[in-house]
mmCIF file of all heavy atoms in Angstrom:
data_model
loop_
_atom_site.group_PDB
_atom_site.id
_atom_site.type_symbol
_atom_site.label_atom_id
_atom_site.label_comp_id
_atom_site.label_asym_id
_atom_site.label_seq_id
_atom_site.Cartn_x
_atom_site.Cartn_y
_atom_site.Cartn_z
ATOM 1 N N SER A 1 0.885 -1.276 0.071
ATOM 2 C CA SER A 1 -0.022 0.023 -0.026
ATOM 3 C C SER A 1 0.891 1.235 -0.025
ATOM 4 O O SER A 1 0.580 2.210 -0.706
ATOM 5 C CB SER A 1 -0.899 -0.028 1.105
ATOM 6 O OG SER A 1 -1.704 -1.105 1.322
ATOM 7 N N LEU A 2 1.848 1.170 0.793
ATOM 8 C CA LEU A 2 2.821 2.409 0.978
ATOM 9 C C LEU A 2 3.502 2.602 -0.357
ATOM 10 O O LEU A 2 3.576 3.800 -0.868
ATOM 11 C CB LEU A 2 3.812 2.145 1.971
ATOM 12 C CG LEU A 2 4.978 3.188 2.256
ATOM 13 C CD1 LEU A 2 4.354 4.641 2.450
ATOM 14 C CD2 LEU A 2 5.945 2.835 3.174
ATOM 15 N N LEU A 3 3.981 1.548 -1.056
ATOM 16 C CA LEU A 3 4.707 1.789 -2.350
ATOM 17 C C LEU A 3 3.762 2.370 -3.366
ATOM 18 O O LEU A 3 4.192 3.012 -4.146
ATOM 19 C CB LEU A 3 5.308 0.473 -2.804
ATOM 20 C CG LEU A 3 6.405 -0.021 -2.039
ATOM 21 C CD1 LEU A 3 6.959 -1.420 -2.454
ATOM 22 C CD2 LEU A 3 7.623 0.939 -1.962
ATOM 23 N N ALA A 4 2.445 1.815 -3.540
ATOM 24 C CA ALA A 4 1.484 2.377 -4.473
ATOM 25 C C ALA A 4 1.335 3.996 -4.152
ATOM 26 O O ALA A 4 1.353 4.752 -4.985
ATOM 27 C CB ALA A 4 0.187 1.566 -4.356
ATOM 28 N N ILE A 5 1.240 4.272 -2.926
ATOM 29 C CA ILE A 5 1.059 5.772 -2.609
ATOM 30 C C ILE A 5 2.183 6.550 -2.923
ATOM 31 O O ILE A 5 2.115 7.594 -3.485
ATOM 32 C CB ILE A 5 0.724 5.751 -1.033
ATOM 33 C CG1 ILE A 5 -0.764 5.106 -0.723
ATOM 34 C CG2 ILE A 5 0.696 7.274 -0.637
ATOM 35 C CD1 ILE A 5 -0.896 4.891 0.799
ATOM 36 N N LEU A 6 3.413 6.117 -2.578
ATOM 37 C CA LEU A 6 4.611 6.960 -2.917
ATOM 38 C C LEU A 6 4.747 6.934 -4.478
ATOM 39 O O LEU A 6 5.176 7.841 -4.880
ATOM 40 C CB LEU A 6 5.823 6.228 -2.202
ATOM 41 C CG LEU A 6 5.822 6.153 -0.706
ATOM 42 C CD1 LEU A 6 7.085 5.615 -0.119
ATOM 43 C CD2 LEU A 6 5.849 7.739 -0.190
ATOM 44 N N GLY A 7 4.586 5.662 -5.077
ATOM 45 C CA GLY A 7 4.810 5.517 -6.510
ATOM 46 C C GLY A 7 3.922 6.451 -7.348
ATOM 47 O O GLY A 7 4.331 7.046 -8.325
ATOM 48 N N SER A 8 2.659 6.636 -6.911
ATOM 49 C CA SER A 8 1.671 7.468 -7.688
ATOM 50 C C SER A 8 2.125 8.810 -7.708
ATOM 51 O O SER A 8 1.872 9.509 -8.686
ATOM 52 C CB SER A 8 0.231 7.447 -6.913
ATOM 53 O OG SER A 8 0.355 7.897 -5.652
ATOM 54 N N LYS A 9 2.946 9.267 -6.783
ATOM 55 C CA LYS A 9 3.480 10.652 -6.904
ATOM 56 C C LYS A 9 4.376 10.932 -8.068
ATOM 57 O O LYS A 9 4.429 11.965 -8.486
ATOM 58 C CB LYS A 9 4.242 11.090 -5.493
ATOM 59 C CG LYS A 9 4.636 12.452 -5.388
ATOM 60 C CD LYS A 9 5.184 12.805 -4.014
ATOM 61 C CE LYS A 9 6.484 12.008 -3.596
ATOM 62 N NZ LYS A 9 6.979 12.359 -2.302
ATOM 63 N N TYR A 10 5.015 9.902 -8.615
ATOM 64 C CA TYR A 10 5.996 10.052 -9.575
ATOM 65 C C TYR A 10 5.441 9.432 -10.968
ATOM 66 O O TYR A 10 6.254 9.177 -11.787
ATOM 67 C CB TYR A 10 7.333 9.346 -9.237
ATOM 68 C CG TYR A 10 7.996 10.021 -7.975
ATOM 69 C CD1 TYR A 10 7.975 9.397 -6.820
ATOM 70 C CD2 TYR A 10 8.589 11.168 -8.047
ATOM 71 C CE1 TYR A 10 8.523 9.942 -5.568
ATOM 72 C CE2 TYR A 10 9.156 11.835 -7.035
ATOM 73 C CZ TYR A 10 9.151 11.196 -5.798
ATOM 74 O OH TYR A 10 9.732 11.771 -4.774
ATOM 75 N N GLN A 11 4.186 9.226 -11.114
ATOM 76 C CA GLN A 11 3.616 8.797 -12.283
ATOM 77 C C GLN A 11 3.530 9.887 -13.266
ATOM 78 O O GLN A 11 2.958 10.923 -13.082
ATOM 79 C CB GLN A 11 2.153 8.307 -12.005
ATOM 80 C CG GLN A 11 1.341 7.827 -13.133
ATOM 81 C CD GLN A 11 1.941 6.547 -13.767
ATOM 82 O OE1 GLN A 11 3.000 6.538 -14.592
ATOM 83 N NE2 GLN A 11 1.388 5.413 -13.410
ATOM 84 N N ASP A 12 4.275 9.689 -14.390
ATOM 85 C CA ASP A 12 4.295 10.679 -15.513
ATOM 86 C C ASP A 12 3.068 10.650 -16.319
ATOM 87 O O ASP A 12 2.722 11.624 -17.037
ATOM 88 C CB ASP A 12 5.596 10.391 -16.372
ATOM 89 C CG ASP A 12 6.924 10.607 -15.628
ATOM 90 O OD1 ASP A 12 6.839 11.534 -14.816
ATOM 91 O OD2 ASP A 12 7.866 10.114 -16.085
ATOM 92 N N SER A 13 2.458 9.624 -16.386
ATOM 93 C CA SER A 13 1.160 9.471 -17.218
ATOM 94 C C SER A 13 0.092 10.401 -16.699
ATOM 95 O O SER A 13 -0.022 10.670 -15.519
ATOM 96 C CB SER A 13 0.723 7.912 -17.205
ATOM 97 O OG SER A 13 -0.554 7.875 -17.875
ATOM 98 N N ASN A 14 -0.745 10.880 -17.579
ATOM 99 C CA ASN A 14 -1.885 11.553 -17.345
ATOM 100 C C ASN A 14 -3.051 10.686 -16.724
ATOM 101 O O ASN A 14 -3.967 11.294 -16.089
ATOM 102 C CB ASN A 14 -2.420 12.326 -18.449
ATOM 103 C CG ASN A 14 -1.400 13.429 -18.997
ATOM 104 O OD1 ASN A 14 -0.706 14.094 -18.236
ATOM 105 N ND2 ASN A 14 -1.302 13.532 -20.348
ATOM 106 N N SER A 15 -2.988 9.297 -16.891
ATOM 107 C CA SER A 15 -3.920 8.512 -16.334
ATOM 108 C C SER A 15 -3.796 8.327 -14.764
ATOM 109 O O SER A 15 -2.763 8.662 -14.288
ATOM 110 C CB SER A 15 -4.020 7.240 -17.053
ATOM 111 O OG SER A 15 -2.602 6.548 -16.888
ATOM 112 N N ARG A 16 -4.865 7.783 -14.185
ATOM 113 C CA ARG A 16 -4.748 7.553 -12.707
ATOM 114 C C ARG A 16 -3.801 6.265 -12.496
ATOM 115 O O ARG A 16 -3.778 5.479 -13.397
ATOM 116 C CB ARG A 16 -6.211 7.269 -12.202
ATOM 117 C CG ARG A 16 -6.863 8.560 -12.038
ATOM 118 C CD ARG A 16 -8.395 8.470 -12.108
ATOM 119 N NE ARG A 16 -8.922 7.257 -11.385
ATOM 120 C CZ ARG A 16 -9.757 7.197 -10.373
ATOM 121 N NH1 ARG A 16 -10.175 8.389 -9.788
ATOM 122 N NH2 ARG A 16 -10.234 6.132 -9.813
ATOM 123 N N PHE A 17 -3.182 6.295 -11.386
ATOM 124 C CA PHE A 17 -2.335 5.339 -10.991
ATOM 125 C C PHE A 17 -3.137 3.971 -10.798
ATOM 126 O O PHE A 17 -4.213 3.936 -10.269
ATOM 127 C CB PHE A 17 -1.604 5.632 -9.698
ATOM 128 C CG PHE A 17 -0.391 4.751 -9.354
ATOM 129 C CD1 PHE A 17 0.869 4.883 -10.036
ATOM 130 C CD2 PHE A 17 -0.505 3.783 -8.433
ATOM 131 C CE1 PHE A 17 1.863 4.113 -9.853
ATOM 132 C CE2 PHE A 17 0.627 3.018 -8.170
ATOM 133 C CZ PHE A 17 1.907 3.138 -8.844
ATOM 134 N N LYS A 18 -2.592 2.825 -11.428
ATOM 135 C CA LYS A 18 -3.330 1.464 -11.376
ATOM 136 C C LYS A 18 -2.685 0.634 -10.355
ATOM 137 O O LYS A 18 -1.602 0.514 -10.305
ATOM 138 C CB LYS A 18 -3.252 0.932 -12.734
ATOM 139 C CG LYS A 18 -3.849 1.682 -13.934
ATOM 140 C CD LYS A 18 -3.761 1.022 -15.207
ATOM 141 C CE LYS A 18 -4.501 1.643 -16.354
ATOM 142 N NZ LYS A 18 -4.028 2.990 -16.712
ATOM 143 N N ILE A 19 -3.592 -0.043 -9.665
ATOM 144 C CA ILE A 19 -3.108 -0.923 -8.598
ATOM 145 C C ILE A 19 -3.924 -2.283 -8.809
ATOM 146 O O ILE A 19 -5.089 -2.259 -9.275
ATOM 147 C CB ILE A 19 -3.375 -0.492 -7.134
ATOM 148 C CG1 ILE A 19 -4.846 -0.058 -6.807
ATOM 149 C CG2 ILE A 19 -2.472 0.776 -6.853
ATOM 150 C CD1 ILE A 19 -4.971 0.378 -5.412
ATOM 151 N N PHE A 20 -3.383 -3.375 -8.285
ATOM 152 C CA PHE A 20 -3.854 -4.737 -8.557
ATOM 153 C C PHE A 20 -3.921 -5.600 -7.426
ATOM 154 O O PHE A 20 -3.075 -5.623 -6.547
ATOM 155 C CB PHE A 20 -2.965 -5.401 -9.714
ATOM 156 C CG PHE A 20 -2.944 -4.556 -10.816
ATOM 157 C CD1 PHE A 20 -2.088 -3.552 -11.081
ATOM 158 C CD2 PHE A 20 -3.864 -4.795 -11.895
ATOM 159 C CE1 PHE A 20 -1.905 -2.801 -12.166
ATOM 160 C CE2 PHE A 20 -3.888 -4.021 -13.025
ATOM 161 C CZ PHE A 20 -2.791 -3.028 -13.243
ATOM 162 N N ASN A 21 -5.030 -6.291 -7.120
ATOM 163 C CA ASN A 21 -5.370 -6.967 -5.808
ATOM 164 C C ASN A 21 -5.879 -8.225 -6.364
ATOM 165 O O ASN A 21 -6.607 -8.484 -7.403
ATOM 166 C CB ASN A 21 -6.210 -6.338 -5.011
ATOM 167 C CG ASN A 21 -6.580 -6.959 -3.720
ATOM 168 O OD1 ASN A 21 -7.577 -7.697 -3.690
ATOM 169 N ND2 ASN A 21 -5.707 -7.013 -2.712
ATOM 170 N N GLY A 22 -5.758 -9.371 -5.561
ATOM 171 C CA GLY A 22 -6.419 -10.615 -5.815
ATOM 172 C C GLY A 22 -7.265 -10.979 -4.583
ATOM 173 O O GLY A 22 -6.970 -10.795 -3.352
ATOM 174 N N ARG A 23 -8.432 -11.689 -4.885
ATOM 175 C CA ARG A 23 -9.401 -12.089 -3.763
ATOM 176 C C ARG A 23 -9.923 -13.527 -4.254
ATOM 177 O O ARG A 23 -10.094 -13.754 -5.295
ATOM 178 C CB ARG A 23 -10.492 -11.173 -3.625
ATOM 179 C CG ARG A 23 -11.330 -11.000 -4.825
ATOM 180 C CD ARG A 23 -12.380 -10.056 -4.731
ATOM 181 N NE ARG A 23 -13.518 -10.487 -3.786
ATOM 182 C CZ ARG A 23 -14.523 -11.172 -4.353
ATOM 183 N NH1 ARG A 23 -14.761 -11.385 -5.612
ATOM 184 N NH2 ARG A 23 -15.538 -11.605 -3.435
ATOM 185 N N PHE A 24 -10.116 -14.326 -3.226
ATOM 186 C CA PHE A 24 -10.758 -15.638 -3.508
ATOM 187 C C PHE A 24 -12.319 -15.528 -3.193
ATOM 188 O O PHE A 24 -12.637 -14.724 -2.202
ATOM 189 C CB PHE A 24 -10.123 -16.658 -2.540
ATOM 190 C CG PHE A 24 -8.808 -17.123 -2.882
ATOM 191 C CD1 PHE A 24 -7.639 -16.464 -2.355
ATOM 192 C CD2 PHE A 24 -8.520 -17.909 -3.957
ATOM 193 C CE1 PHE A 24 -6.408 -16.917 -2.797
ATOM 194 C CE2 PHE A 24 -7.254 -18.456 -4.395
ATOM 195 C CZ PHE A 24 -6.107 -17.907 -3.735
ATOM 196 N N THR A 25 -13.061 -16.006 -4.039
ATOM 197 C CA THR A 25 -14.410 -15.885 -4.046
ATOM 198 C C THR A 25 -15.172 -16.753 -2.890
ATOM 199 O O THR A 25 -16.407 -16.705 -2.778
ATOM 200 C CB THR A 25 -15.131 -16.002 -5.348
ATOM 201 O OG1 THR A 25 -14.728 -17.339 -5.775
ATOM 202 C CG2 THR A 25 -14.460 -15.136 -6.276
ATOM 203 N N ASP A 26 -14.453 -17.708 -2.331
ATOM 204 C CA ASP A 26 -15.004 -18.800 -1.460
ATOM 205 C C ASP A 26 -15.334 -18.212 -0.253
ATOM 206 O O ASP A 26 -16.369 -18.800 0.420
ATOM 207 C CB ASP A 26 -14.143 -19.951 -1.430
ATOM 208 C CG ASP A 26 -13.737 -20.517 -2.663
ATOM 209 O OD1 ASP A 26 -12.741 -19.913 -3.499
ATOM 210 O OD2 ASP A 26 -14.323 -21.366 -3.291
ATOM 211 N N SER A 27 -14.686 -17.377 0.503
ATOM 212 C CA SER A 27 -14.814 -16.997 1.814
ATOM 213 C C SER A 27 -14.190 -15.674 2.026
ATOM 214 O O SER A 27 -13.271 -15.239 1.500
ATOM 215 C CB SER A 27 -14.124 -18.089 2.751
ATOM 216 O OG SER A 27 -14.079 -17.618 4.170
ATOM 217 N N ASP A 28 -14.909 -14.955 3.021
ATOM 218 C CA ASP A 28 -14.254 -13.493 3.382
ATOM 219 C C ASP A 28 -13.009 -13.581 4.026
ATOM 220 O O ASP A 28 -12.262 -12.793 4.032
ATOM 221 C CB ASP A 28 -15.305 -12.891 4.338
ATOM 222 C CG ASP A 28 -16.630 -12.360 3.561
ATOM 223 O OD1 ASP A 28 -16.610 -12.333 2.421
ATOM 224 O OD2 ASP A 28 -17.697 -12.215 4.304
ATOM 225 N N ALA A 29 -12.713 -14.819 4.672
ATOM 226 C CA ALA A 29 -11.491 -14.969 5.314
ATOM 227 C C ALA A 29 -10.228 -14.919 4.268
ATOM 228 O O ALA A 29 -9.081 -14.708 4.698
ATOM 229 C CB ALA A 29 -11.357 -16.340 6.173
ATOM 230 N N PHE A 30 -10.510 -15.089 3.073
ATOM 231 C CA PHE A 30 -9.500 -15.031 1.928
ATOM 232 C C PHE A 30 -9.718 -13.897 1.002
ATOM 233 O O PHE A 30 -9.411 -14.064 -0.171
ATOM 234 C CB PHE A 30 -9.616 -16.454 1.234
ATOM 235 C CG PHE A 30 -9.325 -17.614 2.061
ATOM 236 C CD1 PHE A 30 -10.413 -18.343 2.707
ATOM 237 C CD2 PHE A 30 -7.969 -18.014 2.247
ATOM 238 C CE1 PHE A 30 -9.997 -19.445 3.542
ATOM 239 C CE2 PHE A 30 -7.690 -19.141 3.014
ATOM 240 C CZ PHE A 30 -8.662 -19.821 3.661
ATOM 241 N N ASP A 31 -10.328 -12.951 1.525
ATOM 242 C CA ASP A 31 -10.596 -11.668 0.746
ATOM 243 C C ASP A 31 -10.174 -10.500 1.468
ATOM 244 O O ASP A 31 -10.867 -9.996 2.406
ATOM 245 C CB ASP A 31 -12.219 -11.683 0.383
ATOM 246 C CG ASP A 31 -12.342 -10.482 -0.524
ATOM 247 O OD1 ASP A 31 -11.474 -9.640 -0.878
ATOM 248 O OD2 ASP A 31 -13.682 -10.297 -0.747
ATOM 249 N N GLU A 32 -9.029 -9.779 1.030
ATOM 250 C CA GLU A 32 -8.581 -8.565 1.679
ATOM 251 C C GLU A 32 -8.774 -7.433 0.757
ATOM 252 O O GLU A 32 -7.984 -6.397 0.848
ATOM 253 C CB GLU A 32 -7.277 -8.837 2.142
ATOM 254 C CG GLU A 32 -6.998 -9.935 3.140
ATOM 255 C CD GLU A 32 -5.524 -9.915 3.795
ATOM 256 O OE1 GLU A 32 -4.706 -9.505 3.282
ATOM 257 O OE2 GLU A 32 -5.572 -10.334 5.038
#
């Protein structure tokens, strides 16, 4: 999370900073 926040400050692109996460659909215990 910290690296995404710090990295977005140095994004040269005009587009919004993109972040990627994975979640399992089986249980909330495996979804962050």
Side-chain angles (χ1 to χ4, degrees):
S1 300
L2 175 60
L3 289 177
I5 294 166
L6 295 178
S8 64
K9 183 170 67 171
Y10 296 107
Q11 176 68 278
D12 291 333
S13 171
N14 293 325
S15 61
R16 284 156 40 117
F17 195 76
K18 295 179 176 64
I19 60 175
F20 302 89
N21 175 265
R23 60 182 288 269
F24 289 96
T25 58
D26 303 84
S27 167
D28 289 343
F30 298 90
D31 179 4
E32 297 191 331

